[in-house]
Amino acid sequence: MATAKSMMDANRQKQRRAEDEEYLGSPSKEADLIQARLVIPGKQMLPAGLDEPGALDDIRKMYQAYITFMEPNVLDIQCKSISQLQQAVHAINWALHDMRRSVELPPVKFFVQQPAKASINDMVRVVIGCRPQFTSHLSMPSNNILALEKCLPKMSTDIASSADNLMALNKQLKMRVNFGCLNIRARNTKGRDEISYHEFVKLMDMYSIRGGASLRTRLPEAKEAEQLIWYLVDPERNICGGPEELMHGYEVTLAVQDQEIKAESMEPMGQRMQLSMVRAIRPEAWAHLNWIVAAPDRAYDWSLTVNAWENLDTPAGFNDLSKKLKIEVDQDWESILKIPKVDTRQLGDLQNQIRQIGVKSSVVIPYKLTPYVIEINITRAWQEGRMSDEPQVTWGIEFYASHWDESINHVCGGERRKDWGQGLKSIWPGDEPSLGLRFEEFLQTVLEVQSILEDAQSCLASQ
């Protein structure tokens, strides 16, 4: 016999399904709704999958939006509030992007880390706009060998062919591991917020084909960056010798039209910093390698990415950027991650060309006796160069080998193709002759750092 609680739960679920299904149909004529019309350019080249039944049903339910196809490329969107309407349109644009990416862009591959701190028999909570997580966790030490058991064979097999394609690119390349949070933009869970682990693995496989998720690498709580650095440099962690081994770096980026103008500075001499290495680049919108690893039992997901860009001539007026931008650091501020102040007044009319100004401050931490480092950085960004506005502040965690930036772009004399050494040893060095074993060692190091970051988060949260 059903209990009162189970009956109440069943009624709530029935009511929720009814509310969701309301938006799968047409609105009543009496409904007071705000309307927008979205016209997709290129009527004959619509994204694959847009015409499938239910392609936008998740968006309809999530934002309580009535979405009607007036024509194959014309959508009417109606919502009860302007905020819901804006969110729905934004979500539709992302959905269109994902559909196009599945056939037009370099593939994003999703992998799932075998859970070490949760049972595969437990459920995974998957909610749009949130990070997937197990509903329960086990209090036990991390098992990095187990964590790689399922995805290692596929990654080891794919890295050689992916590297071959990357070495053929006539672009500047940059490889990084980024730690962050998986963000779900679409899901096919039949309306359920909780699914089995095996269903979650299949969902990740679907994202590799159709899109619908991404890794959010810019994190919102910037104050955590400083706390994390102090945790990592504590001699008891045996990560590095202490604060004296840290390297500090600063970078200013001006977004001008479709290019970026960058200038860098190392540790300031006194209060005033001297910018150097002014250069212009045109970054490609999508990474040429983007492997995202979901770890719903851990504190962070992570990715291995290779981004590309083209070097350009610095636009007229920006050549002497190092003289026109004034950058200062408050040496009295006892922060280990100092945030410089920027004065752009000497840019004059050039400010009208700027879409965004970004200032990144980073601390690089040597990782034990390995060729790898951990970089913690904070970025402050002002839209359209309005320095009087409150900036958007984010932080990030990167992991990479200190030699990567040079080795990944190495070209032998007279060749066009990049050379990463026999068995990619220039990228993943080691004593093992097998690329698979050396790449496995690298991945084990990534998971070791992942565990340290998780321990740091737990420790700092309890303080």
Side-chain angles (χ1 to χ4, degrees), residues 358-370:
V359 180
K360 184 173 80 169
S361 176
S362 59
V363 167
V364 177
I365 306 168
Y367 185 68
K368 300 184 177 179
L369 298 176
T370 74

Side-chain angles (χ1 to χ4, degrees), residues 372-390:
Y372 301 107
V373 298
I374 302 171
E375 178 182 314
I376 313 295
N377 56 65
I378 288 182
T379 299
R380 302 168 76 197
W382 292 265
Q383 298 303 316
E384 298 179 359
R386 295 192 297 265
M387 306 300 290
S388 59
D389 291 355
E390 193 70 22

Side-chain angles (χ1 to χ4, degrees), residues 255-281:
V256 179
Q257 297 179 354
D258 63 341
Q259 58 189 278
E260 294 179 353
I261 304 168
K262 293 178 175 288
E264 297 177 1
S265 175
M266 299 305 290
E267 186 69 19
M269 301 297 293
Q271 188 177 33
R272 180 67 58 83
M273 288 196 308
Q274 182 61 49
L275 290 171
S276 61
M277 296 178 61
V278 178
R279 66 197 190 281
I281 67 171

Side-chain angles (χ1 to χ4, degrees), residues 307-367:
N307 290 288
W309 68 88
E310 177 186 359
N311 287 324
L312 305 172
D313 292 332
T314 305
F318 290 96
N319 293 316
D320 56 350
L321 184 65
S322 58
K323 298 178 180 178
K324 293 179 178 177
L325 276 182
K326 302 300 180 184
I327 312 292
E328 293 185 353
V329 170
D330 186 353
Q331 294 294 337
D332 295 330
W333 188 28
E334 296 182 357
S335 171
I336 200 168
L337 187 58
K338 300 182 186 299
I339 309 298
K341 299 177 182 178
V342 184
D343 185 348
T344 62
R345 287 175 294 182
Q346 289 191 30
L347 288 175
D349 293 339
L350 292 175
Q351 294 186 76
N352 299 328
Q353 302 180 38
I354 299 173
R355 290 187 292 106
Q356 179 177 282
I357 294 179
V359 180
K360 184 173 80 169
S361 176
S362 59
V363 167
V364 177
I365 306 168
Y367 185 68

Side-chain angles (χ1 to χ4, degrees), residues 158-437:
D158 289 354
I159 191 61
S161 59
S162 296
D164 190 60
N165 293 332
L166 291 166
M167 286 187 284
L169 291 174
N170 188 24
K171 305 276 186 180
Q172 292 294 300
L173 303 178
K174 180 178 181 179
M175 179 184 289
R176 291 291 186 268
V177 170
N178 289 279
F179 293 93
C181 298
L182 187 65
N183 181 43
I184 301 299
R185 298 194 304 272
R187 62 178 190 176
N188 182 14
T189 61
K190 299 178 181 178
R192 296 170 296 155
D193 290 342
E194 296 179 4
I195 59 177
S196 71
Y197 171 74
H198 299 291
E199 288 177 299
F200 178 71
V201 172
K202 291 180 180 178
L203 185 65
M204 292 297 105
D205 289 340
M206 183 271 289
Y207 289 145
S208 294
I209 300 169
R210 297 293 303 276
S214 58
L215 188 71
R216 185 180 293 139
T217 60
R218 301 311 304 172
L219 306 172
E221 297 295 332
K223 64 180 181 181
E224 296 178 10
E226 178 89 9
Q227 298 169 342
L228 177 58
I229 294 171
W230 282 116
Y231 178 91
L232 295 176
V233 301
D234 187 332
E236 293 185 3
R237 317 291 175 207
N238 293 318
I239 292 173
C240 70
E244 62 275 7
E245 292 190 2
L246 304 184
M247 292 183 292
H248 298 258
Y250 306 89
E251 182 182 74
V252 179
T253 302
L254 309 183
V256 179
Q257 297 179 354
D258 63 341
Q259 58 189 278
E260 294 179 353
I261 304 168
K262 293 178 175 288
E264 297 177 1
S265 175
M266 299 305 290
E267 186 69 19
M269 301 297 293
Q271 188 177 33
R272 180 67 58 83
M273 288 196 308
Q274 182 61 49
L275 290 171
S276 61
M277 296 178 61
V278 178
R279 66 197 190 281
I281 67 171
R282 180 180 290 117
E284 298 199 354
W286 313 109
H288 281 267
L289 180 118
N290 192 2
W291 291 1
I292 297 175
V293 182
D297 65 319
R298 311 297 287 274
Y300 292 97
D301 308 297
W302 58 277
S303 67
L304 175 65
T305 61
V306 176
N307 290 288
W309 68 88
E310 177 186 359
N311 287 324
L312 305 172
D313 292 332
T314 305
F318 290 96
N319 293 316
D320 56 350
L321 184 65
S322 58
K323 298 178 180 178
K324 293 179 178 177
L325 276 182
K326 302 300 180 184
I327 312 292
E328 293 185 353
V329 170
D330 186 353
Q331 294 294 337
D332 295 330
W333 188 28
E334 296 182 357
S335 171
I336 200 168
L337 187 58
K338 300 182 186 299
I339 309 298
K341 299 177 182 178
V342 184
D343 185 348
T344 62
R345 287 175 294 182
Q346 289 191 30
L347 288 175
D349 293 339
L350 292 175
Q351 294 186 76
N352 299 328
Q353 302 180 38
I354 299 173
R355 290 187 292 106
Q356 179 177 282
I357 294 179
V359 180
K360 184 173 80 169
S361 176
S362 59
V363 167
V364 177
I365 306 168
Y367 185 68
K368 300 184 177 179
L369 298 176
T370 74
Y372 301 107
V373 298
I374 302 171
E375 178 182 314
I376 313 295
N377 56 65
I378 288 182
T379 299
R380 302 168 76 197
W382 292 265
Q383 298 303 316
E384 298 179 359
R386 295 192 297 265
M387 306 300 290
S388 59
D389 291 355
E390 193 70 22
Q392 179 186 18
V393 183
T394 58
W395 72 290
I397 309 169
E398 299 180 11
F399 178 77
Y400 53 93
S402 53
H403 68 274
W404 273 0
D405 288 352
E406 180 179 353
S407 296
I408 201 172
N409 292 297
H410 175 69
V411 177
C412 291
E415 299 288 335
R416 289 177 55 86
R417 184 181 176 84
K418 294 176 174 62
D419 181 4
W420 292 0
Q422 181 70 28
L424 308 184
K425 266 202 168 185
S426 296
I427 306 300
W428 291 287
D431 297 329
E432 294 290 347
S434 165
L435 168 61
L437 291 175

